[in-house]
Amino acid sequence: MKSRAAVAFAPGKPLEIVEIDVAPPKAGEVLIRITDTGVCHTDAFTLSGDDPEGVFPAVLGHEGAGVVVEVGEGVTSVKPGDHVIPLYTAECGECLFCKSGKTNLCTSVRATQGKGLMPDGTTRFSYNGEPIYHYMGCSTFSEYTVVAEVSLAKINPEANHEHVCLLGCGVTTGIGAVHNTAKVQPGDSVAVFGLGGIGLAVIQGARQAKAGRIIAIDTNPDKFELARQFGATDFVNPKDHDKPIQQVIVEMTGWGVDHSFECIGNVNVMRAALECAHRGWGQSVIIGVAGAGQEISTRPFQLVTGRKWMGTAFGGVKGRSQLPGMVEDAMKGEIELAPFVTHTMPLEEINEAFHLMHEGKSIRSVIKF
Ligand code: NAD
Ligand code: AHE
Ligand code: ZN
């Protein structure tokens, strides 16, 4: 079938809106009509060429919601008409990782996913007879996309896709990082570096966890008002200080914070986030994605003296078993999604969504098909 899609033909180039060909779903696969998709910084990261797994040409996008159109042979968990959120972290329930009960990092389709391919090693997308690659197992920047059955969460059909698409990545990642990774407790102090969709979701999660002080840090002060609305109590712009930001946070708190979260993808800030964690027990969660060749560093003394360095993917959330419940929570107002959607636009204007992100003018732009 034909599908309108925004194709990344080459790194560093704007997406091109073209009509691609989408082949039918094979065994264990599902064809979906995407209704809404957010644009996450990770899409911009891959488009920039910094992603070691970036392959081109590709249909990017991984924060979407849609409706099942057709299922391949053997698919039993969804049927045409079901409302779904594609998952970049699959959940097969059978691999070593799923069975461990210790992680959400299912490996069932991860190897082919990282190469831009479906689990059988081929692609369902083409343009002028040439293959187009998939992205993160989702490719939500196409009106029609094919994903593995294990990469789909079935959700309440009454849910507002313009909002719940954000549970496909940003909001789930931030909230999940607080509850599943850091396990923030009532009264704990929290520092959040970077106040985009991810950092604001961390703040929302911290407020749910009844954290005490929530320190919001960003070089763009325009982000502070929304952070305040989500529950931040203190606001720090590193540009207002002539000393390292970790020192500023330690001086504000005495010994540092119980939990810090890096939501930018900057390895220098990752170090600062670790080093502002409390001596003896403070922990720092890396959420941001850093480019090829980038490495983190700190004095080992920081760890010897009790700080813990951690990371999280999709907030530790198991998509098929936990995301439907998060959609219900959003429908009850227990997870706030509307304030994240600062812009909506048709697919034809998707490059403007990237522009707004780079200018620091949006939190989430949602593309409506
Ligand atoms: P975003 O661009 O919307 O927000 C980033 C924020 O960081 C902006 O407000 C920006 O002003 C701020 N910032 C930039 N440099 C700064 C600095 N030196 N000090 C303080 N603030 C600074 O991005 P986003 O969509 O919220 O994504 C954030 C990061 O999280 C990205 O790296 C993305 O790839 C990553 N991410 C990871 C996961 C995961 O599962 N681990 C999931 C989603 C996104
Ligand atoms: N392709 C990158 C890795 C990018 C990365 O870490 N992605 C996060 C999700 S970002 C969502 O916006 C993630 O889930 N990582 C775990 C995984 O399995 O990809 C690289 O560096 O190769
Ligand atoms: Zn994302």
Side-chain angles (χ1 to χ4, degrees):
M1 68 189 306
K2 299 283 182 192
S3 177
R4 281 186 306 135
V7 177
F9 280 100
K13 295 277 188 309
L15 303 182
E16 288 183 38
I17 313 303
V18 296
E19 202 172 60
I20 61 170
D21 291 293
V22 181
K26 292 191 181 177
E29 299 175 359
V30 181
L31 174 71
I32 301 159
R33 178 172 61 82
I34 298 291
T35 59
D36 299 76
T37 180
V39 178
C40 170
H41 201 112
T42 306
D43 297 307
F45 161 77
T46 301
L47 182 59
S48 76
D50 284 344
D51 183 351
E53 290 186 311
V55 285
F56 298 87
V59 175
L60 303 179
H62 63 281
E63 194 177 70
V67 180
V68 172
V69 175
E70 186 183 338
V71 300
E73 190 190 322
V75 170
T76 55
S77 61
V78 292
K79 60 181 185 314
D82 283 347
H83 291 228
V84 289
I85 292 178
L87 303 168
Y88 61 83
T89 304
E91 184 185 353
C92 73
E94 288 166 8
C95 72
L96 173 70
F97 293 78
C98 282
K99 279 186 169 161
S100 73
K102 297 176 183 174
T103 179
N104 65 334
L105 290 173
C106 172
T107 51
S108 60
V109 298
R110 184 64 184 81
T112 45
Q113 178 174 310
K115 297 186 171 84
L117 300 169
M118 295 303 291
D120 73 345
T122 64
T123 169
R124 301 292 158 268
F125 299 136
S126 58
Y127 179 62
N128 291 339
E130 295 297 319
I132 305 274
Y133 292 103
H134 296 254
Y135 178 62
M136 291 177 73
C138 298
S139 289
T140 58
F141 294 166
S142 174
E143 187 173 10
Y144 292 93
T145 188
V146 179
V147 309
E149 179 183 15
V150 290
S151 304
L152 275 181
K154 182 172 154 181
I155 63 165
N156 188 325
E158 303 293 322
N160 177 346
H161 286 201
E162 183 178 308
H163 295 163
V164 298
C165 66
L166 303 187
L167 292 172
C169 183
V171 177
T172 299
T173 298
I175 289 180
V178 170
H179 300 306
N180 302 325
T181 312
K183 300 186 170 66
V184 173
Q185 299 300 306
D188 285 355
S189 56
V190 169
V192 184
F193 291 82
L195 305 175
I198 316 306
L200 292 173
V202 168
I203 292 172
Q204 179 170 172
R207 186 168 62 180
Q208 289 172 339
K210 299 188 168 43
R213 210 165 172 188
I214 303 175
I215 304 172
I217 303 141
D218 203 297
T219 45
N220 177 355
D222 293 347
K223 304 286 178 110
F224 291 153
E225 183 47 37
L226 206 44
R228 186 190 310 278
Q229 288 174 32
F230 275 120
T233 57
D234 298 71
F235 307 88
V236 178
N237 183 346
K239 291 182 178 168
D240 293 342
H241 299 270
D242 55 11
K243 51 186 150 190
I245 192 64
Q246 52 269 55
Q247 194 180 329
V248 173
I249 305 298
V250 170
E251 286 173 6
M252 282 172 72
T253 53
W255 286 100
V257 289
D258 297 313
H259 311 271
S260 66
F261 297 85
E262 200 278 354
C263 311
I264 302 165
N266 177 319
V267 292
N268 299 316
V269 180
M270 290 173 190
R271 177 176 192 153
L274 175 79
E275 295 180 357
C276 78
H278 202 291
R279 176 184 163 91
W281 63 76
Q283 51 186 31
S284 185
V285 181
I286 293 177
I287 306 179
V289 171
Q294 302 263 299
E295 294 184 347
I296 49 172
S297 62
T298 190
R299 284 187 68 212
F301 182 70
Q302 296 288 340
L303 305 183
V304 167
T305 47
R307 293 167 194 84
K308 291 195 182 78
W309 222 344
M310 312 155 82
T312 191
F314 199 39
V317 169
K318 292 186 171 212
R320 292 171 90 197
S321 45
Q322 293 181 282
L323 211 55
M326 292 182 75
V327 167
E328 298 297 329
D329 290 347
M331 293 175 77
K332 285 185 274 184
E334 291 167 11
I335 294 176
E336 265 191 281
L337 297 173
F340 289 90
V341 184
T342 53
H343 300 78
T344 59
M345 58 195 70
L347 182 68
E348 288 66 27
E349 291 169 27
I350 192 167
N351 288 305
E352 175 64 9
F354 284 87
H355 182 65
L356 288 164
M357 178 198 298
H358 291 306
E359 292 282 298
K361 292 192 172 140
S362 60
I363 299 300
R364 278 302 196 251
S365 294
V366 172
I367 307 303
K368 303 192 68 71
F369 281 90

